[in-house]
Each structure stands twice: as structure tokens, then as C-alpha cells.
Amino acid sequence: MGTKYIFVTGGVVSSLGKGIISASIGKLLQARGYKVTIQKFDPYINIDPGTLNPYEHGECYVTEDGMETDLDLGHYERFTGIRTTRHNSITTGRIYKTVIDRERRGDYLGKTIQVVPHITDEIMRRMLREDVQDEELDFVITEVGGTIGDIESAPFMEAIRQLRWELGRDAVSVHLTYVPYLKAADELKTKPTQHSVKELQGLGIQPDILVLRTERHLDDHIRMKVASFCNVDLECVVQSEDMPSIYEVPVNMQRQGLDAAILRKIGIPVGETPSMKSWNNFLEKQHHASKELHIGLVGKYDLQDAYKSIRESLNLAGIYNDVKAKIHFVNSEDITPTNVAEKLAGMAGVIICPGFGQRGIEGKVVAAQYTRTHDIPTFGICLGMQMMVIEFARNVLGYEDANSAEMNPETPHNVIDMMEEQKNITQMGGTMRLGAYDCALVEGSRAWEAYRPSLLIKERHRHRYEFNNAYKSEYEAAGMKSVGLNPDADLVEIVEVPSLKWYIGTQFHPEYASTVLHPHPLFMSFVKACI
Ligand code: GLN
């Protein structure tokens, strides 16, 4: 049928959940048997979010092919199970870099390079995924970050306008807005939506479908009003009420016919509504998982989005184990040997989070010592694993000054050291060990039990430092085993202390690979141990 294109934009305010709506559309079309991908265009000038502080941008999500991306790609993968790539996350910075590199090569043959048409042409090329080989897709869903009216997003809107004109019925525009409830007037207000649509129309884009985010149910009268003021069919005005869980959104959208409206706009016969059986089974399980399991999240970013994929991985693994994961953020900067017992009191298990730099690491070491000596299930991820290793060196191997070369390049006991291939790198952006690498598991280990029967797995990485193999035999002898190794470079990817209930650290980030229908085996095993 040829590829169809869906553009998702947002208006009124940010944080409306465009990523969740885009992921839901992807899921619903997939359930109808279509081959789909979802991509995100972000209007900032950074090449990727890899160098951004999580407080700026939330978690940095990593694709299998090693691109550092926006956290919405995590939603796309968790909802659809699709593996995204570097082609699915584009920024203004990357667009400009491509154009400027081309200009320096002389490819433009003396022309003046301008936002229109050169930047917009490059945006369109990427929206159409012209540089992706061997890809046969029925739908490409393109989400544009930011809010209508932003100066930054203007070239993206212009690209969408042109593409819609060129593609005709093969393109659909979905616009997400907000309908606020004014308590004093006891009224839901559609004016911001009308303004937002006007703004979009001013850019030459008539939305085909409106998704109205709302905290209260919108009756038909309000939907009719929006439809007639915004030139949109009534059946194309869909409401997205607050849901107890983001995973309810796809079925809620399906109930209101969002996917059917998209198909109708394109001119594809709608046919029967797919049953979404496994998804609904999951929701059923979620509904029944009421017993709480308290998990401590030891990290330094007190922000929901900073550890998004870890949180979702715990939620999902919890649901599949019939419990509701109650995640307690514990700021590692506040943890001391005297208060650690109190800080972690009541936790069935502890996650020691990834991170960079000195701030907050001593608290992570103290937490790792406490959970190791009290046999509390502990899962260290990336920097978290490195802190488990350092703690073990200081308190079991007797190297009081053990550290990571990242924190103290002069330390005599650099149990975590910079990887050889990293030593001559001076650029910060995109130069870490990134993306999926093989890991061979040691049969019989607890980590292997989780992944069983696989002996060779692939997980995603994002780090510069690693376990120093010069200390490996000392660790082994003292009871911390290396149970996952990269077969090509002999890097230690997983450590565990088998004498404890569950004390595992991974140099990789398993959280990126959890999906709704396939919770991650390590998180499953960790949650089971916590229960
Ligand atoms: N800062 C550590 C390193 O670069 C860990 C990184 C992380 O936790 N993602 O190796």
C-alpha cells in the first residue's frame, strides 16, 4: 500500500504525553498487522541528549546501535517492542550538522544555504527516512518535540506542511492539546485548544485529528464545539483522560476509535477492531497487583524522569509477579554510615542507580555495604555496579582507598578504570562505549538463572570505565564473581556475590530492553528475590 505518515504535534503546554500518544498509535496500528516505526524530532541544538544533565532532559535512552536519545524512544520500545535506531531520534543540531558538513564539502555548488529550503529539505528527507536502507514500513509516526508556537520548532512545522501537501492522503496530522478545568467556574475550557489549532493553521497545517488531554471527562457537547471551531470531524476529536497507568492509554484510544479515525483519513478500510489480547491480559494483571513491594532507588537525581526506564522496568516486573512496585527515591548524597539503616528501612530490595561524576557516590558505596552485609537484594546498574565493586574492594579486599579512575585518577587501587580504547578520546559527545554488546554468561550463576537457557546475551551500554581485570582473581577468591564477560574484549559485564540472596551488578543497562509484553529477565529475577 506504500508507506503512510503520521505527524504528531502538541499545543497549549508541554508534558501532555505526546510520546505516550505516539507510542499508543504505534501499538494500535501494529495490532492491526501493520509494520510501524516511531521517530522523534527534537528542536534543540545539541546533537543528542547524551551530554545533557538529566535535570534538563530526564533519562538518556540508548538504542541498540548506540545512539543516545530522548526518553520517548523508551516509551516507543516498551509499547511496541520495536527496536529503534539512530534514525529514530533526530535533533535540530543533527539536521544543521548534516547541512553544514555538506556545505563545507562544497556540495551546494555556490548556493546560499538557508533554513528554507535547505534545512527544511533535510528535515523532510529524514521524516521520510530516505537514508534508511532495507526498510519496508506501512506507517512512520513522527513526533515533534516542543509546543506549537515555539520559535525552535518552526522549520519542523514547515517541513510537515510541505510533506502533507506532497503526500496528500498518505499523511495525517494529529494534534494533542489540553482542555483545562477551571474550578471556580466549574467549567472545562476549550479556548486554549482553539488558539493552538489556529496557530497550527497559521503555519499552514490543518490538523486531521485532535487528541484532547483532560483531567475530567469531556461530554459530546464539548467535543462538538471543538470539532466545529477547529474544522475537524467529530469522530476525529478524541479525549485522553488521566489514566491510573500509561499502559491503559492504547486501549482507551482504541475504544474511542483513534486508530480507526487515522485509517479512515488515509482511506484504508477500517475492518474489525483487533482484540489486543496479550495487552489486555497484562492490564488485567496490573489491575490485580495490589500488594505493595517497597524498592529503594539510590541515586542523585530527584526527578521522576531521570530513571524512567528503571522505574518502568520495576513496575512491569512487579506486575508480572503480581505485586505493585512502590519505588522510594533515596538521595545518595544524604546517605551516611549512621543513617543508612534508617534511610533503607522497610525496603525489600535496593537499586543502585547509574550516573556520572563524584557527587553522591560515597552514599552509593555506603548503601552497597549496608545491603551486602544485611543480605538485602541489590541490583547495581552501571555506576551502581561500579560502586558495588568499589565497596567490596574497600571493605572485603581491604583496599581502603579503592576507587574509580573517574572519581580519582590518582588512586593506587583503581578497581574501576578507564577502558583502553577510551584513553585517547577528548570529545565528550557520543564517544562512550555505547549500544548493544555481547555478554557470555557463566552457567550456573544467578544471572544465568535469570536469562536461562541463553548463554550468550546482548545488552546496551553507556560508559567509559570498567572493572579492572588486574583485580579479578582477588575478587573471585573473596566471593564476588564475574559471571558475564564480553567475549571479544574480556570486559566484565556482570558481577555477583553468590553467597547472598541476590547481589548483582551489571555494567550494562538492562532497563532499556524491558517491554510491556516482555519484562526483562533480570528485573523479573530481582523482583522475585525481593518478594
Ligand atoms: N560514569 C560511569 C562510566 O562512565 C558509569 C556510567 C553510567 O552509569 N551510565 O563508566
Side-chain angles (χ1 to χ4, degrees), residues 354-356 381-383 386 406 462-465 507 509:
F356 293 85
I381 300 177
C382 206
L383 184 71
Q386 297 176 354
E406 179 182 5
R462 183 177 185 241
H463 61 116
R464 262 182 235 288
Y465 297 83
Q507 186 57 76
H509 291 261

Side-chain angles (χ1 to χ4, degrees), residues 127-323:
M127 283 179 168
L128 296 172
R129 298 174 72 85
E130 279 176 4
D131 50 356
V132 189
Q133 256 98 61
D134 303 326
E135 187 178 62
E136 268 178 47
L137 293 169
D138 299 312
F139 286 94
V140 174
I141 301 165
T142 299
E143 177 192 347
V144 179
T147 311
I148 289 301
D150 293 347
I151 290 176
E152 287 89 351
S153 54
F156 294 104
M157 296 306 144
E158 172 57 14
I160 294 176
R161 184 196 66 75
Q162 286 189 39
L163 282 178
R164 289 197 66 231
W165 176 250
E166 281 166 26
L167 294 165
R169 278 192 95 175
D170 288 346
V172 172
S173 156
V174 178
H175 189 54
L176 182 66
T177 73
Y178 180 52
V179 178
Y181 169 73
L182 288 191
K183 204 166 152 210
D186 187 26
E187 265 186 86
L188 285 150
K189 292 296 189 187
T190 64
K191 192 67 87 190
T193 295
Q194 295 176 43
H195 279 301
S196 182
V197 172
K198 270 218 182 81
E199 182 97 35
L200 199 57
Q201 288 165 339
L203 298 169
I205 303 169
Q206 168 61 45
D208 298 298
I209 291 165
L210 292 175
V211 179
L212 310 179
R213 283 283 288 119
T214 171
E215 280 147 39
R216 305 228 165 178
H217 186 76
L218 307 177
D219 60 23
D220 286 350
H221 162 76
I222 293 185
R223 286 180 47 243
M224 268 188 284
K225 188 168 158 188
V226 170
S228 76
F229 280 130
C230 300
N231 304 347
V232 174
D233 300 332
L234 179 60
E235 56 163 33
C236 293
V237 181
V238 168
Q239 61 180 304
S240 174
E241 274 178 87
D242 282 357
M243 292 277 139
S245 138
I246 53 172
Y247 301 116
E248 310 261 356
V249 177
V251 282
N252 179 36
M253 290 299 109
Q254 187 188 49
R255 224 175 284 129
Q256 295 186 67
L258 175 60
D259 53 336
I262 290 172
L263 295 178
R264 242 179 258 120
K265 277 284 159 199
I266 293 173
I268 298 174
V270 174
E272 267 177 50
T273 308
S275 73
M276 306 265 291
K277 201 160 161 271
S278 29
W279 193 275
N280 280 312
N281 285 344
F282 162 80
L283 292 181
E284 190 67 22
K285 267 187 124 19
Q286 169 166 263
H287 193 71
H288 285 107
S290 55
K291 194 167 175 290
E292 289 185 345
L293 183 73
H294 298 276
I295 309 279
L297 197 65
V298 175
K300 66 174 167 182
Y301 300 108
D302 191 1
L303 174 85
Q304 281 287 329
D305 278 353
Y307 306 109
K308 191 78 193 157
S309 295
I310 294 178
R311 286 174 179 272
E312 291 309 321
S313 296
L314 281 172
N315 287 339
L316 295 171
I319 291 163
Y320 280 100
N321 282 296
D322 304 312
V323 294

